[in-house]
Amino acid sequence: MRDATWHQASIDQTLRHWDGRSDLWIFGYGSLIWRPEFDHLEARRARIHGYHRALCLWSRINRGTPERPGLVFGLDLGGSCEGTVYRIAGDRVPDILGPLWQREMPSASYIPRWLNCHTTSGAVTGLVFTMDRRDEGYVKGLSTEEIVAIVRQGRGRYGHCTEYVLQTADALDAAGITDRRLRAIARALRRPI
């Protein structure tokens, strides 16, 4: 876990090119779709290129334990990803980013990046949390069966890993976003053991 000083330094580094006034866009691809937990002026469906949604990060606190880890979503390299981009008011940025960093960056497993988020109303530059492949929690190459087994066993501070994955799958379906791999995982998780 990172402390408040580290979080603030990371926020300051990320915002070094922000003018301190303009509204800011944040891209959600996992739980931020169904539980953003911050006030926003607008939400748009958006697609980013160069990254895809994947259950690629061990969760040893929030959705699992060190002995029985779960998996959480990250944006891994390659492909594209549809999600939701949220516009937050410029004067609310300092209040919103602190709690957002505590939620998204507890162990610095993600790299905050500014990426083009393509919407039907045009592209916006959004803050996107991408997977740091050098992080010790990064995992790749798991089969659907392995993912399902890991997700089923995971339970942590925020509850069951299965619930987290199914809520994300349901939120994507409700938003009209197709993620075939996640749908296959969700179907397998809903089958009786």
Side-chain angles (χ1 to χ4, degrees):
M1 299 292 276
R2 301 292 182 152
D3 66 12
T5 303
W6 182 90
H7 280 131
Q8 190 57 55
S10 177
I11 292 169
D12 292 345
Q13 173 69 17
T14 301
L15 293 180
R16 69 188 183 281
H17 300 297
W18 179 58
D19 65 12
R21 298 179 312 277
S22 300
D23 294 349
L24 189 141
W25 294 89
I26 297 170
F27 181 75
Y29 57 88
S31 63
L32 284 180
I33 292 176
W34 49 270
R35 195 184 52 158
E37 293 183 338
F38 54 79
D39 293 331
H40 51 278
L41 302 172
E42 182 181 359
R44 295 183 194 172
R45 188 164 150 183
R47 178 182 294 276
I48 61 166
H49 296 280
Y51 296 90
H52 66 280
R53 180 180 13 258
L55 285 161
C56 62
L57 179 61
W58 292 113
S59 180
R60 295 180 173 98
I61 297 172
N62 294 341
R63 296 292 176 172
T65 64
E67 300 79 27
R68 296 177 65 141
L71 290 168
V72 292
F73 291 102
L75 282 175
D76 204 1
L77 285 174
S80 65
C81 179
E82 270 193 279
T84 302
V85 67
Y86 301 96
R87 182 169 61 95
I88 59 174
D91 62 348
R92 298 279 295 135
V93 168
D95 298 329
I96 288 172
L97 288 192
L100 181 66
W101 241 254
Q102 290 175 5
R103 174 180 170 173
E104 297 297 314
M105 300 282 286
S107 61
S109 299
Y110 300 124
I111 300 170
R113 298 183 192 278
W114 296 100
L115 299 176
N116 284 329
C117 301
H118 302 277
T119 78
T120 56
S121 302
V124 297
T125 301
L127 176 59
V128 182
F129 294 94
T130 63
M131 189 67 224
D132 182 350
R133 289 178 141 211
R134 298 167 299 175
D135 187 82
E136 66 181 26
Y138 173 67
V139 61
K140 68 175 184 171
L142 296 174
S143 69
T144 299
E145 294 76 20
E146 290 170 316
I147 290 171
V148 168
I150 293 166
V151 167
R152 279 192 171 138
Q153 74 167 4
R155 182 178 184 168
R157 174 173 52 189
Y158 293 155
H160 290 279
C161 192
T162 299
E163 177 183 274
Y164 161 80
V165 172
L166 292 178
Q167 282 181 301
T168 302
D170 291 345
L172 293 179
D173 284 343
I177 297 171
T178 301
D179 184 322
R180 287 181 179 84
R181 178 98 196 264
L182 180 52
R183 274 192 183 162
I185 291 166
R187 273 194 307 274
L189 286 170
R190 287 187 168 106
R191 284 188 210 117
I193 299 175

